[in-house]
Amino acid sequence: MHGAWADASSWSGVIGTLQRQGYTVRAIPNMLRGPRTDAAGVRSFLAATDGPVVLVAHSYGGNVITDAAAGLPAVKALVYIAGFVPAEGESLGELASRPVSEPLPELPAVTVPTVLPDGTASSDIYLDPARFREVFAADVSAERAAVLAAVQRPAASEALTGTTQKAAWRDIPSWYLVTQDDQALSPETQRFMAKRAGASIVEIKSSHAAPVAHPGAVARLITQAARATG
């Protein structure tokens, strides 16, 4: 599952590697509307999926799978790629603002007002395309980063403020890829969440866009999780 400011195509390199190894791979849609809404969609998707599942997520997608996988016996492993790993009652915004020894610059967010179907005012949040590469994908070519910036999908403001209801990592083994050069989510915060969840941790020198920049490393971690639980 992709996170905010990305789409399913960000997994293309990882998916190809796993498919060549014989794994069945599905890119789960992420509506980026908020943890409760998005987790409900993932649970429905998983209910229609046969066989044991290794559930993988990047960035905000970690919030979603943490909630969605709770109580589902088919999910054998959780894999977080620079992902959020909340406990019950935590929000993405709360975790992202956790004090760290080397704080990151404020994200260059662009907010677009929206109106929900019931008439409620909301907003969609993008990353400024002019700064997308430096913040999100510094180790991706300028040409590729420009495309990623153009196709980025926005997160609703509720994705930042909505809280997680359940923490599947308490019962399901987890793996975590820490991105050491990340300018979107502090590596220190990543380590905190991974250690709290008891995850098996691997670190690489990568920007936040690890599935795009380092698909081989991402695929290897997913394979480790599959073999360890399989």
Side-chain angles (χ1 to χ4, degrees), residues 51-200:
V53 174
V54 175
L55 195 54
V56 186
H58 176 234
S59 193
Y60 162 74
N63 267 38
V64 180
I65 69 167
T66 295
D67 202 329
L72 296 181
V75 179
K76 306 301 181 183
L78 302 171
V79 181
Y80 297 90
I81 310 301
F84 285 90
V85 191
E88 298 88 343
E90 285 183 333
S91 69
L92 181 153
E94 181 181 352
L95 286 168
S97 61
R98 184 177 181 275
V100 295
S101 59
E102 297 182 11
L104 298 177
E106 185 176 352
L107 289 175
V110 177
T111 302
V112 178
T114 60
V115 178
L116 301 178
D118 64 1
T120 304
S122 184
S123 58
D124 275 353
I125 302 170
Y126 295 82
L127 285 184
D128 181 354
R131 297 185 57 196
F132 186 94
R133 188 187 184 205
E134 71 174 270
V135 172
F136 199 85
D139 49 357
V140 173
S141 70
E143 182 179 7
R144 183 74 184 279
V147 172
L148 294 174
V151 302
Q152 65 172 299
R153 294 189 56 208
S157 56
E158 290 80 7
L160 304 181
T161 59
T163 57
T164 299
Q165 304 304 299
K166 300 176 182 178
W169 50 261
R170 298 194 186 279
D171 302 306
I172 302 172
S174 60
W175 281 255
Y176 198 106
L177 186 72
V178 173
T179 44
Q180 297 172 338
D181 297 331
D182 204 313
Q183 295 298 302
L185 175 58
S186 166
E188 187 176 332
T189 300
Q190 295 181 43
R191 295 184 188 105
F192 161 75
M193 294 185 292
K195 290 177 181 177
R196 181 177 64 176
S200 298

Side-chain angles (χ1 to χ4, degrees), residues 11 14-23 25 54-56 77-79 81 175 202 215-230:
W11 290 100
V14 178
I15 290 171
T17 298
L18 295 174
Q19 288 178 333
R20 287 190 292 273
Q21 295 179 27
Y23 291 101
V25 186
V54 175
L55 195 54
V56 186
L78 302 171
V79 181
I81 310 301
W175 281 255
V202 172
V218 173
R220 282 193 294 274
L221 187 62
I222 297 170
T223 301
Q224 288 178 23
R227 290 173 177 170
T229 57

